[in-house]
Amino acid sequence: MRTWRRTLRALALEGRARAARPGADGVLHLSPGPHATALALDRGPLSPPVLLRPRQGRLGDCWLMAPMLAVHETAPERLRALIGEEADGIAAVRLPALEEPLRVDRRLPVDARGVFQYGQRDGANPGWVGVLEKAIAGHIAGDYAFLQRGLARYGFALLLGERVSTRLRLPDAARILAWLTEGRALCASTHPLSPRVPSAAGPLPPNHVFAVVGADATSGHVHLRNPVRPAELLVLDARSFQRGFLSVDVTAPLR
């Protein structure tokens, strides 16, 4: 039996993803998933001229949302290229590893009050974020629940169709700044003991993925964004970063 990790590895890499299984109408339909009770039509903008940052909802899919946030910070046009709009509330998602787009409707999970529960544009409706998250959930396993665990490098691979480099030896601020200057997207992952490391936003969450968005080579500070609160910039000193994080995933230059 395949483990979740082997399944993600097989699906994420270019040329190795399996075909999704749409319904009779050619559209992927998903159930509300583990933290919602129903589906509601997202009537807001899909992908307006300015792409707001993606924000993680109640799903534990930081391994996907943090890479999405990191790519948004580095090369948002890469994300825009994944989304196309059709008639009747249907969106076409073009994952790089697939020959044909995945067609999904814009009926997205809500709670009993009708509030959207999963990925959204920060401060707005789900839009392109909700559609992309839904398409990937359908592509991987046909259900949102499967998105609740994963590794950042697989999130990058699904979005970009490329392998990424995972560094277990954490880079310093100068190296991070150099990578960002080259147009690379970066994510950093915490470990089970990370809550012992304090920060300005409180203890670091365990087993969580952040987007790395900046650094100060002089002071050694590293700048991160949490996909749960993407508008807030978290600045960590070099010691806290080294203590609180397990690995960094680095893409090839994206622009």
Side-chain angles (χ1 to χ4, degrees):
M1 178 180 292
R2 271 186 168 177
T3 64
W4 62 270
R5 185 173 299 175
R6 289 177 60 196
T7 300
L8 282 175
R9 184 182 299 118
L11 294 175
L13 301 182
E14 187 173 10
R16 294 175 60 188
R18 66 168 169 81
R21 298 175 182 174
D25 58 358
V27 176
L28 285 173
H29 298 283
L30 275 63
S31 66
H35 302 295
T37 59
L39 300 171
L41 182 62
D42 175 19
R43 301 180 184 276
L46 179 62
S47 53
V50 177
L51 291 185
L52 298 176
R53 292 186 179 100
R55 187 184 76 203
Q56 181 183 347
R58 294 187 64 193
L59 283 178
D61 60 349
C62 59
W63 66 273
L64 174 62
M65 300 305 293
M68 199 184 297
L69 178 58
V71 173
H72 177 276
E73 295 285 316
T74 307
E77 65 278 3
R78 290 287 194 108
L79 297 171
R80 184 181 297 281
L82 300 179
I83 309 296
E85 190 166 10
E86 299 182 3
D88 301 321
I90 303 299
V93 177
R94 303 177 184 89
L95 294 182
L98 298 179
E99 294 182 0
E100 299 293 333
L102 298 172
R103 301 177 68 239
V104 299
D105 62 38
R106 295 185 62 189
R107 297 179 68 246
L108 301 173
V110 295
D111 64 10
R113 299 174 297 158
V115 178
F116 291 109
Q117 294 297 292
Y118 301 157
Q120 297 183 234
R121 302 185 304 133
D122 191 34
N125 65 303
W128 66 271
V129 180
V131 162
L132 183 53
E133 182 183 48
K134 182 173 184 176
I136 289 175
H139 170 55
I140 289 175
D143 189 83
Y144 282 105
F146 193 81
L147 291 187
Q148 301 215 94
R149 57 189 302 182
L151 302 175
R153 68 173 182 264
Y154 299 141
F156 274 132
L158 282 161
L159 296 171
L160 302 172
E162 304 170 1
R163 294 179 182 271
V164 301
S165 173
T166 299
R167 308 296 180 98
L168 296 178
R169 182 176 180 180
L170 296 181
D172 60 16
R175 179 70 265 177
I176 289 172
L177 194 59
W179 280 333
L180 293 173
T181 301
E182 293 169 356
R184 301 174 188 268
L186 283 71
C187 280
S189 301
T190 64
H191 51 74
L193 299 181
S194 294
R196 297 184 181 182
V197 179
S199 76
L204 292 174
N207 305 314
H208 190 60
V209 187
F210 288 73
V212 182
V213 299
D216 187 324
T218 301
S219 67
H221 287 76
V222 178
H223 304 165
L224 307 110
R225 292 191 188 276
N226 184 342
V228 176
R229 297 183 297 276
E232 300 175 10
L233 187 67
L234 176 63
V235 179
L236 288 182
D237 61 79
R239 184 170 182 269
S240 296
F241 180 68
Q242 293 290 330
R243 290 181 58 210
F245 286 82
L246 176 66
S247 62
V248 169
D249 292 281
V250 188
T251 72
L254 301 183
R255 60 174 190 268

